[in-house]
Amino acid sequence: MTATTRTRRLAKHAALVAFGLLLLYPLIWMLSSSFKPTELIFSDSSLWPREFTLSNYTDGWNALRIPFSTFFWNSFVVAIGSIVGNLVACSLAAYAFARLNFTLRRMWFAIMLATIMLPQHVVLIPQYILFSELNWIDTFLPLVVPKFLATDAFFIFLMVQFIRTLPRELDDAAKIDGCGWWGIYWRVIMPLTMPALATTAIFTFIWTWNDFLSPLIYLSTPENYTVPLALRAFMDAEGESSWGPLFAMSILSLGPIFGFFLAAQKYLVRGVATTGLK
């Protein structure tokens, strides 16, 4: 390796590190501000607090008359329900599109892909009317039940692409052993699609945990709020906010996302690579 090549690599890595720090600065600033007294958050621009306090975390945990653990629990219930729904329903739909021959399969697959381009706001009012007729408003059902109906076309497409990479000889061998379509799905396809399933679970968890619009539309009782709605509740009607407790609870709300992502990162990379979504 020549000196010029080494210098170029060093400069490239230095630029990447600088760019990474630039992207992380808002998060680092919020973490630092969560340990500052509220009156010093905007007057003290340093990343290291001159006055260190943990009161923002204790005050923020009980600032809304309801312990913040309630909002964490609500978000976990919605997120876990959504993950289970997407894994079951989307894998079944993907298996049908990738392996089964049925009438107008290509047309239905094209329609399914077209729904990816359909904005959520287009179906928001019809969905609200439907859920209102079912008396599901102010419950978690509108947030979870649709996931069991394979409504996330992106994950169906991702799994279809993954299943198509599996050799059909495995299906033929399973048929010789006496497996039907359901046996092939459960005993052959599902174990081999673990990377795609993990990718689906990670994205579902992150998107559901961060979702603000859907809980805002369907949930009205504070006891049913998810974490994003609870963070919004720190802002009063005049736009004033308890910034210290807000930043402290925001930092805590990022913990499950980071933990879930790190735990399944290996499967995420493998799933994205093998489905060609780079």
Side-chain angles (χ1 to χ4, degrees):
M1 182 185 300
T2 64
T4 303
T5 304
R6 191 176 303 168
T7 302
R8 287 179 179 176
R9 287 191 176 183
L10 182 61
K12 185 186 299 184
H13 283 80
L16 290 175
V17 170
F19 186 69
L21 290 176
L22 181 63
L23 294 179
L24 288 174
Y25 178 80
L27 180 61
I28 297 174
W29 181 84
M30 184 171 67
L31 176 62
S32 171
S33 299
S34 68
F35 293 105
K36 297 178 182 179
T38 301
E39 60 273 9
L40 295 180
I41 290 178
F42 296 106
S43 59
D44 180 13
S45 59
S46 63
L47 293 180
W48 188 260
R50 288 185 298 179
E51 295 185 25
F52 190 89
T53 179
L54 293 176
S55 61
N56 291 329
Y57 288 87
T58 56
D59 294 344
W61 193 262
N62 299 294
L64 303 177
R65 297 184 297 104
I66 303 171
F68 216 83
S69 56
T70 301
F71 309 127
F72 274 104
W73 172 253
N74 294 341
S75 288
F76 273 116
V77 169
V78 175
I80 298 303
S82 299
I83 290 174
V84 173
N86 272 343
L87 292 181
V88 173
C90 293
S91 63
L92 285 171
Y95 173 67
F97 281 124
R99 285 295 197 260
L100 305 185
N101 293 317
F102 54 90
T103 306
L104 301 177
R105 183 181 67 169
R106 291 187 177 180
M107 185 193 75
W108 290 117
F109 186 69
I111 293 175
M112 183 273 298
L113 290 180
T115 61
I116 297 178
M117 299 178 288
L118 190 66
Q120 180 186 2
H121 309 82
V122 174
V123 297
L124 190 60
I125 295 178
Q127 284 181 344
Y128 186 89
I129 295 174
L130 173 63
F131 295 143
S132 178
E133 292 293 330
L134 294 173
N135 293 321
W136 285 4
I137 302 301
D138 201 24
T139 70
F140 297 147
L141 294 177
L143 306 176
V144 176
V145 172
K147 305 298 182 182
F148 286 87
L149 302 177
T151 56
D152 285 330
F154 171 78
F155 297 122
I156 299 176
F157 175 72
L158 183 145
M159 292 188 189
V160 167
Q161 295 300 100
F162 191 94
I163 294 175
R164 284 175 176 173
T165 64
L166 303 178
R168 286 184 176 269
E169 286 78 7
L170 297 174
D171 299 23
D172 298 334
K175 289 179 182 177
I176 294 175
D177 290 337
C179 285
W181 291 115
W182 175 257
I184 295 173
Y185 163 78
W186 185 252
R187 298 176 182 271
V188 178
I189 300 299
M190 286 295 284
L192 294 176
T193 55
M194 282 302 297
L197 294 175
T199 303
T200 299
I202 292 172
F203 280 117
T204 300
F205 182 84
I206 293 175
W207 292 349
T208 305
W209 187 271
N210 291 332
D211 186 21
F212 176 76
L213 179 61
S214 297
L216 178 66
I217 296 298
Y218 298 118
L219 302 179
S220 57
T221 305
E223 287 76 8
N224 291 334
Y225 280 3
T226 56
V227 168
L229 289 185
L231 293 176
R232 175 61 180 82
F234 280 96
M235 188 80 68
D236 62 23
E238 298 179 355
E240 297 295 331
S241 177
S242 302
W243 294 109
L246 172 61
F247 290 155
M249 295 302 101
S250 297
I251 291 296
L252 293 181
S253 68
L254 294 175
I257 295 179
F258 284 132
F260 198 84
F261 178 81
L262 292 176
Q265 183 181 16
K266 177 179 65 175
Y267 296 101
L268 173 64
V269 174
R270 189 186 307 172
V272 171
T274 51
T275 51
L277 299 176
K278 296 182 180 179

